[in-house]
Amino acid sequence: MGTSEAVLQVLSGAVPRLFHSDSCLSTSDSIFASKFRLKCSRRRASRYLQFLKCSSVLQYGVRGIGSGVPNKKADPSSLQICKCQKSESVSGVTTEDGNGAWFVDNAKNLNPINGMVNAPNVLEFQDLQHLKQENEGLKSNSANGTLRDTFHKISVDSIEDEAWDLLRESVVYYCGSPIGTIAAKDPTSSNTLNYDQVFIRDFIPSGIAFLLKGEYDIVRNFILHTLQLQSWEKTMDCHSPGQGLMPASFKVRTVPLDGDDSATEEVLDPDFGEAAIGRVAPVDSGLWWIILLRAYGKCSGDLSVQERVDVQTGIKMILRLCIADGFDMFPTLLVTDGSCMIDRRMGIHGHPLEIQALFYSALLCAREMLAPEDGSADLLRALNNRLVALSFHIREYYWVDMKKLNEIYRYKTEEYSYDAVNKFNIYPDQISPWLVEWMPNKGGYLIGNLQPAHMDFRFFSLGNLWSVVSGLATMDQSHAILDLIEAKWADLVAGMPFKICYPALEGQEWQIITGSDPKNTPWSYHNAGAWPTLLWQLTVACIKMDRPDIAAKAVEVAEKRISQDKWPEYYDTKRGRFIGKQSQLFQTWSIAGYLVAKLLLADPSKAKILVTEEDSELVNAFSCMISANPRRKRGRKNLKQTYIV
Ligand code: GLC
């Protein structure tokens, strides 16, 4: 059976997915693979039961372990299993190995007063203090430049060393192989919630850091294991989401081996949102997975992973899920609130920019990786059409700058016609007073969301930065976004890079839009808190636009506090002055984000593993679309100044 045929059959549920062996299975590949296939077949068959015996399927769907459903025994056949009889570890970091011991020992050495992390660092810190005093004593002396440089270098080097130690400590093992990094590892906190899991989106900066360091195995393992989870039979109250969905996170659990009390086995237990707070669907996971897959190939030179039949099938499943026809009028992806990094209610349901930027990026990456074959011609055609329509839509309708704001301010409304200027019937009163003040003369950005009669004018950082990285924004728009970041430094960076969005929802707006969410109070967490992890996306964007100095400045701001503050997940207040109220400490993607920023600034050419550019084919298609646009036909004179194609 040809690949395309297989894909079609798999998509229609006619045959189980084919799985290939992976590193974890290296000793018993074939046995495991066939066993897994059998299990998949069994689950496929059980689909029919869902209609008949809903309650029992529900038990099946929640999979027992840790599900919070009493008296439901784990069904080990529904978990990805690797029998590792010696393992005592749940998360993969065992207390017997050297690394585990390091963590425990050093946790005891935590010094809450000066905020240092571990003994070696306390010593280094004292040395640094000493150096600093000497340095200050010499301030009036013109010869102190070298000393200051030395002090700065030692201090920065020690932060980087500490970050690498912490990142390695966060690695999760499955059957002895590294497969991901835990979301946060704060030895002083008992409130881990689900931060003890490997989140797909959180692993991206970890994976990139390892790739840039030449450590490819963990990324390869991550890609292949999460791919296997993609085919999971997932249900929430009898409903199954689409087949290409990737989990938000997964956990390695150690469970007793069936029929043998003296042994244990490790299982991978994914969460597709069916256990997540708010039951949010992780739409971004699959998109990030495709982006990481391309980066892996580009960085390691190993294209064999993306060429595998199961990986090709995985890419196509994600794509088909995203580009399936629906009721949509727009080429943007329609999603519920909380379907991305902002994974709780924040009023971003609809067509949030972050998802559109990742979608565009994933489409471009997939286009590069999909093997040309007869069966994928339709998919490729659909993909190309979507790329053009999506970039046109975002560049045209999401873009705001002073000029465009003024246009909106003077919009006519209720235009019933094919060539309306105000296509979405935006009422000019939606331009909030904050925006009139905030928009700089030089610069602009892509708005957060666009729906009929609704523009969400909030600035969302990840969406804007990734639009630069992926080329969803034009070159001129990309520069304008960086201009705005420079102009609004005091709001977006201030004491800690980088605000997740701006401004915060306050008062009644906060009550209505977040549902009075106490975690998302104004200037906290997703509601305009500052997230150090965003440093890496900022750095890639700045490098792409040949303006790395902006990122370097932001890294310097972070370096002043991030290690002493114990690598928080996020910061609160308008200027990012406090460590977030409920922020996790030793948050892995804060650590990895910093490291990726440093590594890329040290060798900017490496950013190409993440950057995508439009090729001539797309540019041509885009130009045709622009000239066919009725709005343009009507001859707006200054068009070129606003949108550069
Ligand atoms: C929070 C963040 C989410 C992240 C998770 C794990 O829920 O909103 O983006 O993936 O924590 O760090």
Side-chain angles (χ1 to χ4, degrees):
M1 174 162 47
T3 314
S4 51
E5 218 180 314
V7 173
L8 283 175
Q9 292 202 19
V10 168
L11 287 168
S12 63
V15 293
R17 283 263 319 267
L18 296 174
F19 294 99
H20 279 237
S21 56
D22 52 45
S23 67
C24 176
L25 312 172
S26 51
T27 49
S28 55
D29 282 5
S30 53
I31 303 167
F32 182 87
S34 61
K35 205 169 159 194
F36 198 80
R37 262 201 300 274
L38 277 176
K39 280 174 189 152
C40 286
S41 323
R42 265 174 45 196
R43 279 211 297 278
R44 280 264 161 268
S46 76
R47 280 210 130 183
Y48 296 102
L49 293 176
Q50 287 179 11
F51 300 103
L52 303 171
K53 288 171 70 181
C54 192
S55 60
S56 67
V57 178
L58 206 62
Q59 290 177 20
Y60 193 77
V62 293
R63 292 191 307 283
I65 305 174
S67 66
V69 180
N71 304 323
K72 306 272 192 291
K73 203 172 171 286
D75 174 5
S77 72
S78 66
L79 298 162
Q80 195 183 134
I81 300 173
C82 175
K83 296 187 169 56
C84 296
Q85 306 200 3
K86 64 175 179 0
S87 177
E88 292 295 306
S89 157
V90 172
S91 70
V93 178
T94 66
T95 47
E96 321 132 21
D97 71 17
N99 290 339
W102 183 94
F103 199 80
V104 173
D105 287 352
N106 285 288
K108 286 188 209 133
N109 287 327
L110 271 170
N111 178 344
I113 297 168
N114 66 10
M116 294 314 293
V117 182
N118 52 45
N121 279 337
V122 171
L123 281 180
E124 279 169 18
F125 185 69
Q126 282 161 356
D127 290 347
L128 293 176
Q129 289 294 35
H130 185 65
L131 255 176
K132 196 173 172 187
Q133 277 156 15
E134 273 180 28
N135 192 18
E136 272 159 11
L138 287 172
K139 251 188 186 136
S140 56
N141 185 339
S142 62
N144 75 345
T146 327
L147 189 55
R148 194 167 39 235
D149 288 352
T150 314
F151 166 70
H152 182 71
K153 190 169 175 340
I154 295 173
S155 143
V156 166
D157 284 354
S158 80
I159 297 176
E160 274 183 68
D161 290 348
E162 182 197 311
W164 273 114
D165 287 345
L166 291 170
L167 183 62
R168 291 192 197 291
E169 280 309 313
S170 74
V171 171
V172 171
Y173 294 85
Y174 179 54
C175 304
S177 301
I179 56 156
T181 49
I182 196 170
K185 193 156 191 174
D186 179 1
T188 61
S189 167
S190 52
N191 185 20
T192 53
L193 295 168
N194 53 351
Y195 285 84
D196 59 352
Q197 307 211 3
V198 179
F199 278 75
I200 308 302
R201 73 175 73 86
D202 292 41
F203 179 73
I204 307 303
S206 300
I208 304 292
F210 285 120
L211 286 180
L212 295 174
K213 231 349 194 214
E215 296 173 30
Y216 306 134
D217 278 2
I218 184 170
V219 181
R220 180 179 184 277
N221 294 340
F222 172 87
I223 288 168
L224 294 177
H225 280 289
T226 45
L227 175 70
Q228 292 186 338
L229 298 176
Q230 183 192 31
S231 63
W232 208 268
E233 184 76 5
K234 41 209 172 259
T235 57
M236 195 200 131
D237 298 344
C238 305
H239 178 71
S240 303
Q243 269 288 295
L245 190 69
M246 283 279 184
S249 60
F250 65 85
K251 193 174 164 76
V252 179
R253 296 186 192 278
T254 305
V255 297
L257 190 65
D258 251 357
D260 181 357
D261 286 348
S262 65
T264 58
E265 61 189 351
E266 287 185 348
V267 294
L268 288 187
D269 187 12
D271 177 7
F272 290 89
E274 75 273 29
I277 298 164
R279 303 296 186 260
V280 282
V283 179
D284 61 340
S285 289
L287 306 174
W288 276 123
W289 183 86
I290 290 179
I291 294 166
L292 184 67
L293 175 65
R294 172 182 177 263
Y296 169 82
K298 284 216 163 272
C299 197
S300 68
D302 169 19
L303 300 183
S304 69
V305 174
Q306 55 181 256
E307 284 164 0
R308 283 170 56 143
V309 177
D310 57 346
V311 173
Q312 288 279 319
T313 307
I315 299 173
K316 288 174 194 168
M317 283 172 77
I318 296 170
L319 293 181
R320 287 199 198 271
L321 187 59
C322 291
I323 60 184
D325 289 336
F327 291 107
D328 273 322
M329 288 298 292
F330 312 145
T332 34
L333 263 187
L334 177 63
V335 298
T336 62
D337 220 341
S339 54
C340 51
M341 176 185 183
I342 295 178
D343 57 358
R344 39 199 299 141
R345 186 173 160 194
M346 263 292 289
I348 61 164
H349 50 86
H351 304 93
L353 180 66
E354 178 180 331
I355 288 292
Q356 315 315 324
L358 293 176
F359 180 34
Y360 183 80
S361 183
L363 287 179
L364 277 181
C365 294
R367 190 167 174 261
E368 228 177 272
M369 293 185 294
L370 277 177
E373 52 166 22
D374 294 347
S376 48
D378 283 350
L379 184 64
L380 276 169
R381 201 169 306 120
L383 190 155
N384 279 325
N385 288 342
R386 196 61 174 258
L387 273 170
V388 173
L390 184 61
S391 61
F392 176 82
H393 185 87
I394 297 284
R395 292 167 180 191
E396 184 82 3
Y397 305 124
Y398 277 56
W399 182 251
V400 285
D401 54 13
M402 242 354 231
K403 186 170 180 300
K404 178 70 180 287
L405 265 191
N406 207 162
E407 241 179 68
I408 300 171
Y409 180 71
R410 292 166 51 79
Y411 264 167
K412 290 189 181 52
T413 57
E414 319 297 337
E415 290 177 282
Y416 179 84
S417 66
Y418 289 106
D419 60 352
V421 172
N422 182 6
K423 283 203 176 86
F424 305 97
N425 202 29
I426 304 297
Y427 300 109
D429 274 0
Q430 278 178 38
I431 303 177
S432 327
W434 72 264
L435 184 57
V436 180
E437 296 304 317
W438 200 67
M439 183 64 85
N441 287 330
K442 188 178 173 213
Y445 66 95
L446 296 165
I447 60 168
N449 213 322
L450 176 69
Q451 319 255 42
H454 175 66
M455 287 177 105
D456 182 345
F457 286 108
R458 281 174 292 171
F459 174 86
F460 286 88
S461 304
L462 180 48
N464 272 281
L465 295 173
W466 211 259
S467 297
V468 174
V469 173
S470 63
L472 177 57
T474 64
M475 289 304 264
D476 278 21
Q477 288 174 343
S478 299
H479 275 299
I481 290 169
L482 296 189
D483 289 342
L484 177 126
I485 289 174
E486 283 195 300
K488 296 292 154 188
W489 194 260
D491 292 327
L492 299 175
V493 176
M496 180 55 68
F498 201 93
K499 279 266 152 43
I500 194 167
C501 63
Y502 185 92
L505 298 169
E506 300 189 77
Q508 221 184 12
E509 232 185 350
W510 165 76
Q511 283 174 358
I512 296 169
I513 295 178
T514 72
S516 300
D517 184 348
K519 201 165 174 184
N520 271 336
T521 50
W523 309 104
S524 178
Y525 199 45
H526 300 138
N527 192 7
W531 291 65
T533 187
L534 292 168
L535 258 184
W536 77 271
Q537 288 104 340
L538 172 71
T539 306
V540 185
C542 293
I543 289 176
K544 178 179 180 189
M545 302 315 295
D546 204 16
R547 293 166 73 173
D549 45 310
I550 302 176
K553 219 168 90 189
V555 168
E556 251 183 60
V557 174
E559 268 166 351
K560 287 198 183 111
R561 295 168 65 190
I562 195 164
S563 149
Q564 289 184 41
D565 290 347
K566 302 179 194 154
W567 307 92
E569 179 188 15
Y570 64 95
Y571 285 77
D572 284 357
T573 78
K574 266 191 180 176
R575 302 271 173 264
R577 299 191 74 179
F578 292 158
I579 296 171
K581 215 183 316 165
Q582 296 187 45
S583 170
Q584 296 285 321
L585 300 179
F586 302 102
Q587 177 80 16
T588 305
W589 69 354
S590 299
I591 297 163
Y594 166 76
L595 283 173
V596 171
K598 293 294 284 189
L599 288 162
L600 290 178
L601 286 170
D603 184 355
S605 69
K606 293 268 175 63
K608 67 174 182 297
I609 67 167
L610 293 157
V611 164
T612 43
E613 314 269 1
E614 268 176 322
D615 54 32
S616 52
E617 210 182 311
L618 276 181
V619 175
N620 284 343
F622 190 77
S623 309
C624 295
M625 185 142 181
I626 289 281
S627 43
N629 183 22
R631 182 175 168 201
R632 293 180 188 264
K633 272 193 193 149
R634 292 195 320 170
R636 277 171 63 237
K637 284 185 192 122
N638 296 327
L639 214 63
K640 277 208 177 114
Q641 285 162 22
T642 313
Y643 308 114
I644 307 298
V645 182

